[in-house]
Amino acid sequence: MATTTAALGKVEIYEREKLPIPETWGVNKNGEVTTDPADVINGGGLLSLGGAEATGGYKGYGLAMMVEIFCGILGDASYGPNVRKWREPGRIANLGQCFVAINPDVFAPGFRDRMSDLMDHCRGLEPAAGYDRVLVAGDPERAHMQECDENGGIPYPPHLIENMNKLASTLGVEPLKTV
């Protein structure tokens, strides 16, 4: 999970589509909030969860620092300014990982039932205007997996398939098979 409002890959998609990004996603090279994805990619940066300070971004900043400490510092990996930039392939990334295993039975009995009750409660809430249901973590991914299964594959935008097939031709490998 990215500790930024949006992942850099999403910003790149908006740049390719020539669409503005939401104000909560990134800043330009001067640290000013921007809606131009090129500003973020070319010297700017992504905003922490919550966006700028006025929208609670300092909380996301705290979470991002915790991830840096767990994955970078404790993981003996690159951290902060030492992490290789996205479009800098000439350096080893040296990205750290942190995995936490928790046995819920050590804390309190009935974890599965209590967790199911919480998920059912959240899914049963009244959805916001324009939405048909409330989702919990994993619901969108399960729905997408079901869609892929029903369609016999993963849906990709046509321009992405064209670009991947051009690369395949350049590399002398088979192009993608479409369904």
Side-chain angles (χ1 to χ4, degrees), residues 1-159:
M1 177 186 106
T3 56
T4 52
T5 304
L8 188 58
K10 279 193 173 185
V11 176
E12 289 180 328
I13 290 170
Y14 276 64
E15 181 188 36
R16 278 193 300 274
E17 300 290 330
K18 304 205 181 327
L19 296 171
I21 58 173
E23 288 185 354
T24 55
W25 284 18
V27 295
N28 63 22
K29 64 182 177 183
N30 300 318
E32 301 160 334
V33 171
T34 183
T35 59
D36 185 347
D39 287 346
V40 174
I41 293 168
N42 300 312
L46 297 169
L47 283 168
S48 298
L49 287 170
E53 182 180 0
T55 55
Y58 55 90
K59 295 176 181 181
Y61 174 79
L63 289 171
M65 286 296 288
M66 183 178 68
V67 170
E68 287 295 315
I69 293 166
F70 284 155
C71 297
I73 306 290
L74 288 174
D76 192 29
S78 294
Y79 57 89
N82 305 314
V83 174
R84 183 191 81 193
K85 300 292 182 251
W86 183 253
R87 293 182 177 179
E88 192 182 316
R91 259 177 58 200
I92 293 175
N94 189 26
L95 299 176
Q97 306 292 322
C98 178
F99 300 92
V100 178
I102 298 175
N103 179 352
D105 295 331
V106 173
F107 294 90
F111 171 80
R112 287 184 192 277
D113 291 339
R114 292 163 45 91
M115 181 59 89
S116 291
D117 183 54
L118 176 61
M119 296 299 103
D120 291 345
H121 168 76
C122 291
R123 287 184 181 114
L125 291 170
E126 185 70 29
Y131 293 89
D132 60 346
R133 61 190 172 126
V134 174
L135 303 175
V136 299
D139 285 350
E141 293 79 7
R142 280 186 287 278
H144 182 70
M145 287 170 49
Q146 182 178 347
E147 177 188 342
C148 291
D149 289 344
E150 290 169 359
N151 293 332
I154 302 170
Y156 287 103
H159 73 274

